Amino acid sequence: MAGGVAATAGWVIAAPDPLPASALKPHTASIENGKRLYTAAGCLSCHLPAKDNKQADMSLPSGGRVLKTPAGAFYPPNITPDTETGIGGWTGIQFINAVKRGISPDGRHYLPAFPYTSYSKMSDADVLDIKAYMDTLKPVQAENQPADLPLGLPVETAMRRGLGIWKIAAGFDPTEFVKDASKDDIWNKGAYLVQGPGHCGECHTPRDWAMAMDTSRWMAGGPHPEGDGKVPSLRNLKSRGRFKDAGDLATALEFGETLGYDKMSSGGMAAVQTNMSKLPAEDRTAIATYLMSLE
Amino acid sequence: MFFRLVSSSRTAVIGLVAVIGVTGAAFAGPIEDRQANMKNVGKAMGALAAIAKKEAPFDAAVVNTNATALADNVKEAKAHFPDGSETGDKETWAKAEIWQNKADFEAKADKSVEVAMQMAAVTDEADFGAALGALGATCKACHEDYRRPKE
C-alpha cells in the first residue's frame, strides 16, 4: 500500500513540467541569427540521415543516423518541418519546451542524449530564431526509428517517465545563462555559446553518479560518452601548451586539421569543428576567449 | 692501462646500447611502429602548417621535402595495421572500425598520399593554401572515423 502510494507519488513527481504559452514574450524572429545558432548547436550533426541512406539529402536533418550510448542505440528523429514525420506545425512554445526542457509536444520526457540540459541556457528569443530558420528548410518525409534499448518498449515507457526522476536527481535546472558582470562582453558571449548552443560540456565535462555533468569538474575531460577513448580537458589550455592564445584556438576551431591542428577530428570533434568553421569569426574569437580563461 | 680499460668498457657499453637500440626497434610491435610513423606525418604536417600560419617563409624546397615525407609515411602506414594488432600491450588509439572497413581505411590513406604528392609539386605560393587545405581534409576524414579521441 505504502509502496503503491510512493510509486504513484513518484509517477506524479516525474511528470513533465512544461512552460505555459503565456510565459513567452512577443518576439520578431531573425532567420539569420537562427541559422547561426542552429550551426553552433550542431543540430544537423546528430540529426543526419543514416550513412547508408543513399537517397537522403545529407544537408537536411531528417534523422536516423545511429547514436551509440551506454544506455543503448538511439536514432535522432526527423526535425525537418514535415508536418507528418518531422516537426512542421509545432508552435513556438512546443519547440521551446522540447529544446530547453526536454519535453515533447505530447508531454513525454526526451532522453538526455538530446542535450537540452545545455540548450536550456539559451534565451527563448534565440531558440525561436532557430525554429524560424528550421522552418525555412525543405520538409523531408522520413519516419522515425525507435531506440534499440536492451529491454524493449515497456522499459522505454517506464524509463521515459523515470527520466522525470532523473531530471530531479541530476539537478536539471532549466534556467537561462546569466552574464558574469565581472567579465567583458566577448567572454560572456563565448561562455553563452559554449554552455548553451555549443553544448561543449556534454562531452568535455565528466559525469557524476547520476550521469549528470559534474559542474565542479567543468570541462575537465574524461571518458568519451560514446564509450571509446578519452575527451580532453579544456582547462588550462595555455599552461598545458595546447594553444598559445585565444587567437591560436580560434584558428584551430576555424581550420582544424587543415592547418595541422591535431586532435580536432576524433570522437565527433570533426563535425563540431566543421560547424565552428561556419560561424562568424567573432563567435569563434568569443568561444576561444572563454575557453582559454578556464583554469 | 687504466685508461684503456675504461675506454674499452666504454666501447662495450656503447656497443651494448647500440645493440639494444637496434633490437628494440626490430622487436617493436605494429602499435609502436604506427605511432612512430604518425609522428613523422605530424612533423611533416607541422612544417607545412607553419608556412600557412606565416610562422615560416614559403619555400618550395621545404614544401617538397615535407609533402614527400608525408606521402611516404602515409603509404607505409597501411602496413602498420595488420590483423591482430587491434589491441596490444601499448595503448592504441586506432579504432576497431579500421579492421572492419579495411578497404575504406586504405582508400582514405591512398587519397591522402595522392593529395600529398600534388602538394609536393607546388612551386607557387598562391597554390599552397588550397593544397594544404585539401591535404588536411584527408587527415581529418581518416581521424574522424578511425582514431579514438585522446587526452
Side-chain angles (χ1 to χ4, degrees), chain A residues 228 230 232-233 240 244 257 259 262 265-266 273-274, chain B residues 45 49 52 55 136 139-140 143-144 147-151:
Chain A
D228 197 11
K230 290 175 200 159
S233 167
R240 281 162 53 219
K244 280 181 288 189
E257 283 208 71
L259 268 186
D262 196 5
S265 307
S266 305
Q273 186 264 313
T274 303
Chain B
M45 188 64 187
E55 292 164 2
C139 306
K140 180 173 170 175
H143 289 156
E144 177 174 12
R147 185 171 68 172
R148 300 164 67 211
K150 60 177 172 178
E151 173 50 61

mmCIF file with all atom_site columns, all heavy atoms in Angstrom, chain A residues 228 230 232-233 240 244 257 259 262 265-266 273-274, chain B residues 45 49 52 55 136 139-140 143-144 147-151:
data_model
loop_
_atom_site.group_PDB
_atom_site.id
_atom_site.type_symbol
_atom_site.label_atom_id
_atom_site.label_alt_id
_atom_site.label_comp_id
_atom_site.label_asym_id
_atom_site.label_entity_id
_atom_site.label_seq_id
_atom_site.pdbx_PDB_ins_code
_atom_site.Cartn_x
_atom_site.Cartn_y
_atom_site.Cartn_z
_atom_site.occupancy
_atom_site.B_iso_or_equiv
_atom_site.pdbx_formal_charge
_atom_site.auth_seq_id
_atom_site.auth_comp_id
_atom_site.auth_asym_id
_atom_site.auth_atom_id
_atom_site.pdbx_PDB_model_num
ATOM 1   N N   . ASP A 1 228 ? 34.291 5.175  -26.211 1.00 0.00 ? 228 ASP A N   1
ATOM 2   C CA  . ASP A 1 228 ? 35.550 4.816  -26.835 1.00 0.00 ? 228 ASP A CA  1
ATOM 3   C C   . ASP A 1 228 ? 36.511 5.992  -26.790 1.00 0.00 ? 228 ASP A C   1
ATOM 4   O O   . ASP A 1 228 ? 36.297 6.998  -27.460 1.00 0.00 ? 228 ASP A O   1
ATOM 5   C CB  . ASP A 1 228 ? 35.305 4.366  -28.278 1.00 0.00 ? 228 ASP A CB  1
ATOM 6   C CG  . ASP A 1 228 ? 36.500 3.602  -28.843 1.00 0.00 ? 228 ASP A CG  1
ATOM 7   O OD1 . ASP A 1 228 ? 37.410 3.256  -28.070 1.00 0.00 ? 228 ASP A OD1 1
ATOM 8   O OD2 . ASP A 1 228 ? 36.510 3.351  -30.060 1.00 0.00 ? 228 ASP A OD2 1
ATOM 9   N N   . LYS A 1 230 ? 39.115 8.981  -24.839 1.00 0.00 ? 230 LYS A N   1
ATOM 10  C CA  . LYS A 1 230 ? 39.062 9.992  -23.782 1.00 0.00 ? 230 LYS A CA  1
ATOM 11  C C   . LYS A 1 230 ? 38.821 11.371 -24.385 1.00 0.00 ? 230 LYS A C   1
ATOM 12  O O   . LYS A 1 230 ? 39.399 11.702 -25.415 1.00 0.00 ? 230 LYS A O   1
ATOM 13  C CB  . LYS A 1 230 ? 40.386 10.018 -23.019 1.00 0.00 ? 230 LYS A CB  1
ATOM 14  C CG  . LYS A 1 230 ? 40.619 8.791  -22.164 1.00 0.00 ? 230 LYS A CG  1
ATOM 15  C CD  . LYS A 1 230 ? 42.010 8.860  -21.552 1.00 0.00 ? 230 LYS A CD  1
ATOM 16  C CE  . LYS A 1 230 ? 42.461 7.474  -21.102 1.00 0.00 ? 230 LYS A CE  1
ATOM 17  N NZ  . LYS A 1 230 ? 43.910 7.394  -20.981 1.00 0.00 ? 230 LYS A NZ  1
ATOM 18  N N   . PRO A 1 232 ? 39.443 15.280 -24.160 1.00 0.00 ? 232 PRO A N   1
ATOM 19  C CA  . PRO A 1 232 ? 40.432 16.128 -23.499 1.00 0.00 ? 232 PRO A CA  1
ATOM 20  C C   . PRO A 1 232 ? 39.818 17.186 -22.588 1.00 0.00 ? 232 PRO A C   1
ATOM 21  O O   . PRO A 1 232 ? 38.696 17.640 -22.815 1.00 0.00 ? 232 PRO A O   1
ATOM 22  C CB  . PRO A 1 232 ? 41.194 16.785 -24.642 1.00 0.00 ? 232 PRO A CB  1
ATOM 23  C CG  . PRO A 1 232 ? 40.458 16.512 -25.874 1.00 0.00 ? 232 PRO A CG  1
ATOM 24  C CD  . PRO A 1 232 ? 39.448 15.440 -25.612 1.00 0.00 ? 232 PRO A CD  1
ATOM 25  N N   . SER A 1 233 ? 40.579 17.555 -21.585 1.00 0.00 ? 233 SER A N   1
ATOM 26  C CA  . SER A 1 233 ? 40.202 18.667 -20.718 1.00 0.00 ? 233 SER A CA  1
ATOM 27  C C   . SER A 1 233 ? 40.364 19.970 -21.492 1.00 0.00 ? 233 SER A C   1
ATOM 28  O O   . SER A 1 233 ? 41.256 20.102 -22.325 1.00 0.00 ? 233 SER A O   1
ATOM 29  C CB  . SER A 1 233 ? 41.126 18.681 -19.497 1.00 0.00 ? 233 SER A CB  1
ATOM 30  O OG  . SER A 1 233 ? 40.994 19.909 -18.806 1.00 0.00 ? 233 SER A OG  1
ATOM 31  N N   . ARG A 1 240 ? 49.098 24.257 -20.377 1.00 0.00 ? 240 ARG A N   1
ATOM 32  C CA  . ARG A 1 240 ? 49.391 22.892 -20.807 1.00 0.00 ? 240 ARG A CA  1
ATOM 33  C C   . ARG A 1 240 ? 50.004 22.865 -22.206 1.00 0.00 ? 240 ARG A C   1
ATOM 34  O O   . ARG A 1 240 ? 50.259 21.790 -22.759 1.00 0.00 ? 240 ARG A O   1
ATOM 35  C CB  . ARG A 1 240 ? 48.117 22.053 -20.781 1.00 0.00 ? 240 ARG A CB  1
ATOM 36  C CG  . ARG A 1 240 ? 47.735 21.574 -19.369 1.00 0.00 ? 240 ARG A CG  1
ATOM 37  C CD  . ARG A 1 240 ? 46.275 21.136 -19.290 1.00 0.00 ? 240 ARG A CD  1
ATOM 38  N NE  . ARG A 1 240 ? 45.964 20.168 -20.318 1.00 0.00 ? 240 ARG A NE  1
ATOM 39  C CZ  . ARG A 1 240 ? 44.812 20.144 -20.990 1.00 0.00 ? 240 ARG A CZ  1
ATOM 40  N NH1 . ARG A 1 240 ? 43.865 21.013 -20.715 1.00 0.00 ? 240 ARG A NH1 1
ATOM 41  N NH2 . ARG A 1 240 ? 44.589 19.256 -21.916 1.00 0.00 ? 240 ARG A NH2 1
ATOM 42  N N   . LYS A 1 244 ? 48.499 28.626 -27.923 1.00 0.00 ? 244 LYS A N   1
ATOM 43  C CA  . LYS A 1 244 ? 49.312 29.760 -27.485 1.00 0.00 ? 244 LYS A CA  1
ATOM 44  C C   . LYS A 1 244 ? 48.455 30.844 -26.844 1.00 0.00 ? 244 LYS A C   1
ATOM 45  O O   . LYS A 1 244 ? 48.809 31.436 -25.843 1.00 0.00 ? 244 LYS A O   1
ATOM 46  C CB  . LYS A 1 244 ? 50.070 30.354 -28.683 1.00 0.00 ? 244 LYS A CB  1
ATOM 47  C CG  . LYS A 1 244 ? 51.314 29.584 -29.044 1.00 0.00 ? 244 LYS A CG  1
ATOM 48  C CD  . LYS A 1 244 ? 52.029 30.229 -30.214 1.00 0.00 ? 244 LYS A CD  1
ATOM 49  C CE  . LYS A 1 244 ? 51.237 30.009 -31.491 1.00 0.00 ? 244 LYS A CE  1
ATOM 50  N NZ  . LYS A 1 244 ? 51.916 30.401 -32.720 1.00 0.00 ? 244 LYS A NZ  1
ATOM 51  N N   . GLU A 1 257 ? 42.296 20.339 -38.709 1.00 0.00 ? 257 GLU A N   1
ATOM 52  C CA  . GLU A 1 257 ? 43.464 19.646 -39.255 1.00 0.00 ? 257 GLU A CA  1
ATOM 53  C C   . GLU A 1 257 ? 43.923 20.204 -40.587 1.00 0.00 ? 257 GLU A C   1
ATOM 54  O O   . GLU A 1 257 ? 45.022 19.869 -41.034 1.00 0.00 ? 257 GLU A O   1
ATOM 55  C CB  . GLU A 1 257 ? 43.181 18.151 -39.369 1.00 0.00 ? 257 GLU A CB  1
ATOM 56  C CG  . GLU A 1 257 ? 43.258 17.467 -38.018 1.00 0.00 ? 257 GLU A CG  1
ATOM 57  C CD  . GLU A 1 257 ? 43.663 16.002 -38.129 1.00 0.00 ? 257 GLU A CD  1
ATOM 58  O OE1 . GLU A 1 257 ? 44.821 15.727 -38.441 1.00 0.00 ? 257 GLU A OE1 1
ATOM 59  O OE2 . GLU A 1 257 ? 42.782 15.158 -37.908 1.00 0.00 ? 257 GLU A OE2 1
ATOM 60  N N   . LEU A 1 259 ? 44.928 22.957 -40.934 1.00 0.00 ? 259 LEU A N   1
ATOM 61  C CA  . LEU A 1 259 ? 46.127 23.712 -40.562 1.00 0.00 ? 259 LEU A CA  1
ATOM 62  C C   . LEU A 1 259 ? 46.972 22.916 -39.567 1.00 0.00 ? 259 LEU A C   1
ATOM 63  O O   . LEU A 1 259 ? 47.721 23.465 -38.775 1.00 0.00 ? 259 LEU A O   1
ATOM 64  C CB  . LEU A 1 259 ? 45.764 25.077 -39.955 1.00 0.00 ? 259 LEU A CB  1
ATOM 65  C CG  . LEU A 1 259 ? 45.675 26.243 -40.949 1.00 0.00 ? 259 LEU A CG  1
ATOM 66  C CD1 . LEU A 1 259 ? 45.465 27.554 -40.212 1.00 0.00 ? 259 LEU A CD1 1
ATOM 67  C CD2 . LEU A 1 259 ? 46.917 26.345 -41.825 1.00 0.00 ? 259 LEU A CD2 1
ATOM 68  N N   . ASP A 1 262 ? 46.158 18.918 -34.699 1.00 0.00 ? 262 ASP A N   1
ATOM 69  C CA  . ASP A 1 262 ? 45.870 17.521 -34.392 1.00 0.00 ? 262 ASP A CA  1
ATOM 70  C C   . ASP A 1 262 ? 44.775 17.491 -33.312 1.00 0.00 ? 262 ASP A C   1
ATOM 71  O O   . ASP A 1 262 ? 44.522 18.487 -32.668 1.00 0.00 ? 262 ASP A O   1
ATOM 72  C CB  . ASP A 1 262 ? 47.182 16.918 -33.860 1.00 0.00 ? 262 ASP A CB  1
ATOM 73  C CG  . ASP A 1 262 ? 47.151 15.418 -33.872 1.00 0.00 ? 262 ASP A CG  1
ATOM 74  O OD1 . ASP A 1 262 ? 46.176 14.852 -34.360 1.00 0.00 ? 262 ASP A OD1 1
ATOM 75  O OD2 . ASP A 1 262 ? 48.117 14.823 -33.372 1.00 0.00 ? 262 ASP A OD2 1
ATOM 76  N N   . SER A 1 265 ? 39.687 16.173 -34.712 1.00 0.00 ? 265 SER A N   1
ATOM 77  C CA  . SER A 1 265 ? 38.857 15.393 -35.636 1.00 0.00 ? 265 SER A CA  1
ATOM 78  C C   . SER A 1 265 ? 38.213 14.164 -35.022 1.00 0.00 ? 265 SER A C   1
ATOM 79  O O   . SER A 1 265 ? 37.244 13.654 -35.570 1.00 0.00 ? 265 SER A O   1
ATOM 80  C CB  . SER A 1 265 ? 39.701 14.915 -36.827 1.00 0.00 ? 265 SER A CB  1
ATOM 81  O OG  . SER A 1 265 ? 40.370 15.979 -37.433 1.00 0.00 ? 265 SER A OG  1
ATOM 82  N N   . SER A 1 266 ? 38.764 13.671 -33.911 1.00 0.00 ? 266 SER A N   1
ATOM 83  C CA  . SER A 1 266 ? 38.298 12.383 -33.411 1.00 0.00 ? 266 SER A CA  1
ATOM 84  C C   . SER A 1 266 ? 37.153 12.535 -32.417 1.00 0.00 ? 266 SER A C   1
ATOM 85  O O   . SER A 1 266 ? 36.959 13.604 -31.835 1.00 0.00 ? 266 SER A O   1
ATOM 86  C CB  . SER A 1 266 ? 39.460 11.651 -32.738 1.00 0.00 ? 266 SER A CB  1
ATOM 87  O OG  . SER A 1 266 ? 40.544 11.553 -33.625 1.00 0.00 ? 266 SER A OG  1
ATOM 88  N N   . GLN A 1 273 ? 34.066 20.875 -35.288 1.00 0.00 ? 273 GLN A N   1
ATOM 89  C CA  . GLN A 1 273 ? 34.978 21.849 -35.886 1.00 0.00 ? 273 GLN A CA  1
ATOM 90  C C   . GLN A 1 273 ? 34.436 22.367 -37.226 1.00 0.00 ? 273 GLN A C   1
ATOM 91  O O   . GLN A 1 273 ? 34.540 23.555 -37.529 1.00 0.00 ? 273 GLN A O   1
ATOM 92  C CB  . GLN A 1 273 ? 36.375 21.222 -36.039 1.00 0.00 ? 273 GLN A CB  1
ATOM 93  C CG  . GLN A 1 273 ? 37.449 22.184 -36.519 1.00 0.00 ? 273 GLN A CG  1
ATOM 94  C CD  . GLN A 1 273 ? 37.649 22.088 -38.015 1.00 0.00 ? 273 GLN A CD  1
ATOM 95  O OE1 . GLN A 1 273 ? 37.755 21.003 -38.566 1.00 0.00 ? 273 GLN A OE1 1
ATOM 96  N NE2 . GLN A 1 273 ? 37.695 23.224 -38.700 1.00 0.00 ? 273 GLN A NE2 1
ATOM 97  N N   . THR A 1 274 ? 33.826 21.474 -38.004 1.00 0.00 ? 274 THR A N   1
ATOM 98  C CA  . THR A 1 274 ? 33.216 21.911 -39.269 1.00 0.00 ? 274 THR A CA  1
ATOM 99  C C   . THR A 1 274 ? 32.131 22.947 -38.985 1.00 0.00 ? 274 THR A C   1
ATOM 100 O O   . THR A 1 274 ? 32.042 23.970 -39.666 1.00 0.00 ? 274 THR A O   1
ATOM 101 C CB  . THR A 1 274 ? 32.623 20.703 -40.032 1.00 0.00 ? 274 THR A CB  1
ATOM 102 O OG1 . THR A 1 274 ? 33.665 19.759 -40.248 1.00 0.00 ? 274 THR A OG1 1
ATOM 103 C CG2 . THR A 1 274 ? 32.040 21.123 -41.369 1.00 0.00 ? 274 THR A CG2 1
ATOM 104 N N   . MET B 2 45  ? 53.546 17.585 -41.359 1.00 0.00 ? 45  MET B N   1
ATOM 105 C CA  . MET B 2 45  ? 52.371 18.453 -41.430 1.00 0.00 ? 45  MET B CA  1
ATOM 106 C C   . MET B 2 45  ? 52.628 19.746 -40.651 1.00 0.00 ? 45  MET B C   1
ATOM 107 O O   . MET B 2 45  ? 52.214 20.824 -41.083 1.00 0.00 ? 45  MET B O   1
ATOM 108 C CB  . MET B 2 45  ? 51.152 17.712 -40.867 1.00 0.00 ? 45  MET B CB  1
ATOM 109 C CG  . MET B 2 45  ? 49.833 18.438 -41.053 1.00 0.00 ? 45  MET B CG  1
ATOM 110 S SD  . MET B 2 45  ? 49.388 18.617 -42.815 1.00 0.00 ? 45  MET B SD  1
ATOM 111 C CE  . MET B 2 45  ? 47.951 19.672 -42.684 1.00 0.00 ? 45  MET B CE  1
ATOM 112 N N   . ALA B 2 49  ? 52.163 23.412 -42.013 1.00 0.00 ? 49  ALA B N   1
ATOM 113 C CA  . ALA B 2 49  ? 51.208 24.317 -41.367 1.00 0.00 ? 49  ALA B CA  1
ATOM 114 C C   . ALA B 2 49  ? 51.892 25.610 -40.935 1.00 0.00 ? 49  ALA B C   1
ATOM 115 O O   . ALA B 2 49  ? 51.295 26.688 -40.996 1.00 0.00 ? 49  ALA B O   1
ATOM 116 C CB  . ALA B 2 49  ? 50.557 23.627 -40.171 1.00 0.00 ? 49  ALA B CB  1
ATOM 117 N N   . ALA B 2 52  ? 51.737 28.017 -43.659 1.00 0.00 ? 52  ALA B N   1
ATOM 118 C CA  . ALA B 2 52  ? 50.397 28.590 -43.827 1.00 0.00 ? 52  ALA B CA  1
ATOM 119 C C   . ALA B 2 52  ? 50.095 29.619 -42.738 1.00 0.00 ? 52  ALA B C   1
ATOM 120 O O   . ALA B 2 52  ? 49.402 30.594 -42.982 1.00 0.00 ? 52  ALA B O   1
ATOM 121 C CB  . ALA B 2 52  ? 49.357 27.474 -43.798 1.00 0.00 ? 52  ALA B CB  1
ATOM 122 N N   . GLU B 2 55  ? 54.425 31.383 -39.863 1.00 0.00 ? 55  GLU B N   1
ATOM 123 C CA  . GLU B 2 55  ? 55.484 31.251 -38.858 1.00 0.00 ? 55  GLU B CA  1
ATOM 124 C C   . GLU B 2 55  ? 56.806 30.910 -39.541 1.00 0.00 ? 55  GLU B C   1
ATOM 125 O O   . GLU B 2 55  ? 57.871 30.963 -38.928 1.00 0.00 ? 55  GLU B O   1
ATOM 126 C CB  . GLU B 2 55  ? 55.116 30.151 -37.849 1.00 0.00 ? 55  GLU B CB  1
ATOM 127 C CG  . GLU B 2 55  ? 53.931 30.533 -36.965 1.00 0.00 ? 55  GLU B CG  1
ATOM 128 C CD  . GLU B 2 55  ? 53.305 29.343 -36.230 1.00 0.00 ? 55  GLU B CD  1
ATOM 129 O OE1 . GLU B 2 55  ? 53.806 28.213 -36.361 1.00 0.00 ? 55  GLU B OE1 1
ATOM 130 O OE2 . GLU B 2 55  ? 52.305 29.576 -35.537 1.00 0.00 ? 55  GLU B OE2 1
ATOM 131 N N   . GLY B 2 136 ? 44.972 18.515 -45.444 1.00 0.00 ? 136 GLY B N   1
ATOM 132 C CA  . GLY B 2 136 ? 44.462 18.428 -44.073 1.00 0.00 ? 136 GLY B CA  1
ATOM 133 C C   . GLY B 2 136 ? 43.100 17.763 -44.015 1.00 0.00 ? 136 GLY B C   1
ATOM 134 O O   . GLY B 2 136 ? 42.776 17.055 -43.059 1.00 0.00 ? 136 GLY B O   1
ATOM 135 N N   . CYS B 2 139 ? 43.514 14.128 -43.665 1.00 0.00 ? 139 CYS B N   1
ATOM 136 C CA  . CYS B 2 139 ? 43.880 13.730 -42.293 1.00 0.00 ? 139 CYS B CA  1
ATOM 137 C C   . CYS B 2 139 ? 42.600 13.645 -41.461 1.00 0.00 ? 139 CYS B C   1
ATOM 138 O O   . CYS B 2 139 ? 42.358 12.681 -40.733 1.00 0.00 ? 139 CYS B O   1
ATOM 139 C CB  . CYS B 2 139 ? 44.800 14.751 -41.633 1.00 0.00 ? 139 CYS B CB  1
ATOM 140 S SG  . CYS B 2 139 ? 46.297 15.157 -42.542 1.00 0.00 ? 139 CYS B SG  1
ATOM 141 N N   . LYS B 2 140 ? 41.791 14.719 -41.595 1.00 0.00 ? 140 LYS B N   1
ATOM 142 C CA  . LYS B 2 140 ? 40.555 14.837 -40.822 1.00 0.00 ? 140 LYS B CA  1
ATOM 143 C C   . LYS B 2 140 ? 39.594 13.688 -41.137 1.00 0.00 ? 140 LYS B C   1
ATOM 144 O O   . LYS B 2 140 ? 39.027 13.079 -40.225 1.00 0.00 ? 140 LYS B O   1
ATOM 145 C CB  . LYS B 2 140 ? 39.910 16.191 -41.163 1.00 0.00 ? 140 LYS B CB  1
ATOM 146 C CG  . LYS B 2 140 ? 38.607 16.479 -40.452 1.00 0.00 ? 140 LYS B CG  1
ATOM 147 C CD  . LYS B 2 140 ? 38.160 17.915 -40.731 1.00 0.00 ? 140 LYS B CD  1
ATOM 148 C CE  . LYS B 2 140 ? 36.755 18.171 -40.234 1.00 0.00 ? 140 LYS B CE  1
ATOM 149 N NZ  . LYS B 2 140 ? 36.362 19.592 -40.397 1.00 0.00 ? 140 LYS B NZ  1
ATOM 150 N N   . HIS B 2 143 ? 40.909 10.497 -39.447 1.00 0.00 ? 143 HIS B N   1
ATOM 151 C CA  . HIS B 2 143 ? 40.887 10.575 -37.981 1.00 0.00 ? 143 HIS B CA  1
ATOM 152 C C   . HIS B 2 143 ? 39.463 10.636 -37.446 1.00 0.00 ? 143 HIS B C   1
ATOM 153 O O   . HIS B 2 143 ? 39.185 10.146 -36.347 1.00 0.00 ? 143 HIS B O   1
ATOM 154 C CB  . HIS B 2 143 ? 41.684 11.790 -37.506 1.00 0.00 ? 143 HIS B CB  1
ATOM 155 C CG  . HIS B 2 143 ? 43.163 11.635 -37.706 1.00 0.00 ? 143 HIS B CG  1
ATOM 156 N ND1 . HIS B 2 143 ? 44.020 12.685 -37.825 1.00 0.00 ? 143 HIS B ND1 1
ATOM 157 C CD2 . HIS B 2 143 ? 43.912 10.515 -37.806 1.00 0.00 ? 143 HIS B CD2 1
ATOM 158 C CE1 . HIS B 2 143 ? 45.267 12.238 -37.989 1.00 0.00 ? 143 HIS B CE1 1
ATOM 159 N NE2 . HIS B 2 143 ? 45.225 10.908 -37.977 1.00 0.00 ? 143 HIS B NE2 1
ATOM 160 N N   . GLU B 2 144 ? 38.557 11.209 -38.205 1.00 0.00 ? 144 GLU B N   1
ATOM 161 C CA  . GLU B 2 144 ? 37.158 11.283 -37.773 1.00 0.00 ? 144 GLU B CA  1
ATOM 162 C C   . GLU B 2 144 ? 36.579 9.877  -37.573 1.00 0.00 ? 144 GLU B C   1
ATOM 163 O O   . GLU B 2 144 ? 35.915 9.598  -36.583 1.00 0.00 ? 144 GLU B O   1
ATOM 164 C CB  . GLU B 2 144 ? 36.336 12.053 -38.814 1.00 0.00 ? 144 GLU B CB  1
ATOM 165 C CG  . GLU B 2 144 ? 34.848 12.112 -38.451 1.00 0.00 ? 144 GLU B CG  1
ATOM 166 C CD  . GLU B 2 144 ? 34.028 12.986 -39.389 1.00 0.00 ? 144 GLU B CD  1
ATOM 167 O OE1 . GLU B 2 144 ? 34.548 13.374 -40.454 1.00 0.00 ? 144 GLU B OE1 1
ATOM 168 O OE2 . GLU B 2 144 ? 32.887 13.268 -39.050 1.00 0.00 ? 144 GLU B OE2 1
ATOM 169 N N   . ARG B 2 147 ? 40.158 7.114  -35.596 1.00 0.00 ? 147 ARG B N   1
ATOM 170 C CA  . ARG B 2 147 ? 41.013 7.328  -34.432 1.00 0.00 ? 147 ARG B CA  1
ATOM 171 C C   . ARG B 2 147 ? 40.159 7.616  -33.208 1.00 0.00 ? 147 ARG B C   1
ATOM 172 O O   . ARG B 2 147 ? 39.247 8.431  -33.252 1.00 0.00 ? 147 ARG B O   1
ATOM 173 C CB  . ARG B 2 147 ? 41.982 8.491  -34.668 1.00 0.00 ? 147 ARG B CB  1
ATOM 174 C CG  . ARG B 2 147 ? 42.969 8.647  -33.509 1.00 0.00 ? 147 ARG B CG  1
ATOM 175 C CD  . ARG B 2 147 ? 44.072 9.633  -33.801 1.00 0.00 ? 147 ARG B CD  1
ATOM 176 N NE  . ARG B 2 147 ? 43.534 10.986 -33.893 1.00 0.00 ? 147 ARG B NE  1
ATOM 177 C CZ  . ARG B 2 147 ? 44.298 12.085 -33.994 1.00 0.00 ? 147 ARG B CZ  1
ATOM 178 N NH1 . ARG B 2 147 ? 45.610 11.963 -34.021 1.00 0.00 ? 147 ARG B NH1 1
ATOM 179 N NH2 . ARG B 2 147 ? 43.751 13.260 -34.083 1.00 0.00 ? 147 ARG B NH2 1
ATOM 180 N N   . ARG B 2 148 ? 40.479 6.944  -32.121 1.00 0.00 ? 148 ARG B N   1
ATOM 181 C CA  . ARG B 2 148 ? 39.781 7.213  -30.864 1.00 0.00 ? 148 ARG B CA  1
ATOM 182 C C   . ARG B 2 148 ? 40.253 8.558  -30.325 1.00 0.00 ? 148 ARG B C   1
ATOM 183 O O   . ARG B 2 148 ? 41.419 8.899  -30.459 1.00 0.00 ? 148 ARG B O   1
ATOM 184 C CB  . ARG B 2 148 ? 40.107 6.127  -29.818 1.00 0.00 ? 148 ARG B CB  1
ATOM 185 C CG  . ARG B 2 148 ? 39.724 4.736  -30.214 1.00 0.00 ? 148 ARG B CG  1
ATOM 186 C CD  . ARG B 2 148 ? 40.433 3.708  -29.333 1.00 0.00 ? 148 ARG B CD  1
ATOM 187 N NE  . ARG B 2 148 ? 39.955 3.805  -27.964 1.00 0.00 ? 148 ARG B NE  1
ATOM 188 C CZ  . ARG B 2 148 ? 40.699 3.533  -26.895 1.00 0.00 ? 148 ARG B CZ  1
ATOM 189 N NH1 . ARG B 2 148 ? 41.954 3.184  -27.024 1.00 0.00 ? 148 ARG B NH1 1
ATOM 190 N NH2 . ARG B 2 148 ? 40.179 3.626  -25.694 1.00 0.00 ? 148 ARG B NH2 1
ATOM 191 N N   . PRO B 2 149 ? 39.335 9.292  -29.690 1.00 0.00 ? 149 PRO B N   1
ATOM 192 C CA  . PRO B 2 149 ? 39.772 10.573 -29.129 1.00 0.00 ? 149 PRO B CA  1
ATOM 193 C C   . PRO B 2 149 ? 40.692 10.325 -27.937 1.00 0.00 ? 149 PRO B C   1
ATOM 194 O O   . PRO B 2 149 ? 40.529 9.348  -27.212 1.00 0.00 ? 149 PRO B O   1
ATOM 195 C CB  . PRO B 2 149 ? 38.467 11.226 -28.679 1.00 0.00 ? 149 PRO B CB  1
ATOM 196 C CG  . PRO B 2 149 ? 37.522 10.087 -28.445 1.00 0.00 ? 149 PRO B CG  1
ATOM 197 C CD  . PRO B 2 149 ? 37.917 9.011  -29.415 1.00 0.00 ? 149 PRO B CD  1
ATOM 198 N N   . LYS B 2 150 ? 41.677 11.200 -27.764 1.00 0.00 ? 150 LYS B N   1
ATOM 199 C CA  . LYS B 2 150 ? 42.599 11.035 -26.629 1.00 0.00 ? 150 LYS B CA  1
ATOM 200 C C   . LYS B 2 150 ? 42.843 12.367 -25.944 1.00 0.00 ? 150 LYS B C   1
ATOM 201 O O   . LYS B 2 150 ? 42.666 13.428 -26.526 1.00 0.00 ? 150 LYS B O   1
ATOM 202 C CB  . LYS B 2 150 ? 43.911 10.413 -27.094 1.00 0.00 ? 150 LYS B CB  1
ATOM 203 C CG  . LYS B 2 150 ? 44.654 11.228 -28.137 1.00 0.00 ? 150 LYS B CG  1
ATOM 204 C CD  . LYS B 2 150 ? 45.969 10.532 -28.464 1.00 0.00 ? 150 LYS B CD  1
ATOM 205 C CE  . LYS B 2 150 ? 46.667 11.198 -29.630 1.00 0.00 ? 150 LYS B CE  1
ATOM 206 N NZ  . LYS B 2 150 ? 47.936 10.595 -29.951 1.00 0.00 ? 150 LYS B NZ  1
ATOM 207 N N   . GLU B 2 151 ? 43.250 12.236 -24.744 1.00 0.00 ? 151 GLU B N   1
ATOM 208 C CA  . GLU B 2 151 ? 43.546 13.453 -23.937 1.00 0.00 ? 151 GLU B CA  1
ATOM 209 C C   . GLU B 2 151 ? 44.702 14.213 -24.544 1.00 0.00 ? 151 GLU B C   1
ATOM 210 O O   . GLU B 2 151 ? 45.637 13.645 -25.070 1.00 0.00 ? 151 GLU B O   1
ATOM 211 C CB  . GLU B 2 151 ? 43.879 13.020 -22.502 1.00 0.00 ? 151 GLU B CB  1
ATOM 212 C CG  . GLU B 2 151 ? 44.363 14.112 -21.594 1.00 0.00 ? 151 GLU B CG  1
ATOM 213 C CD  . GLU B 2 151 ? 43.515 15.376 -21.572 1.00 0.00 ? 151 GLU B CD  1
ATOM 214 O OE1 . GLU B 2 151 ? 42.344 15.290 -21.207 1.00 0.00 ? 151 GLU B OE1 1
ATOM 215 O OE2 . GLU B 2 151 ? 44.030 16.439 -21.949 1.00 0.00 ? 151 GLU B OE2 1
#
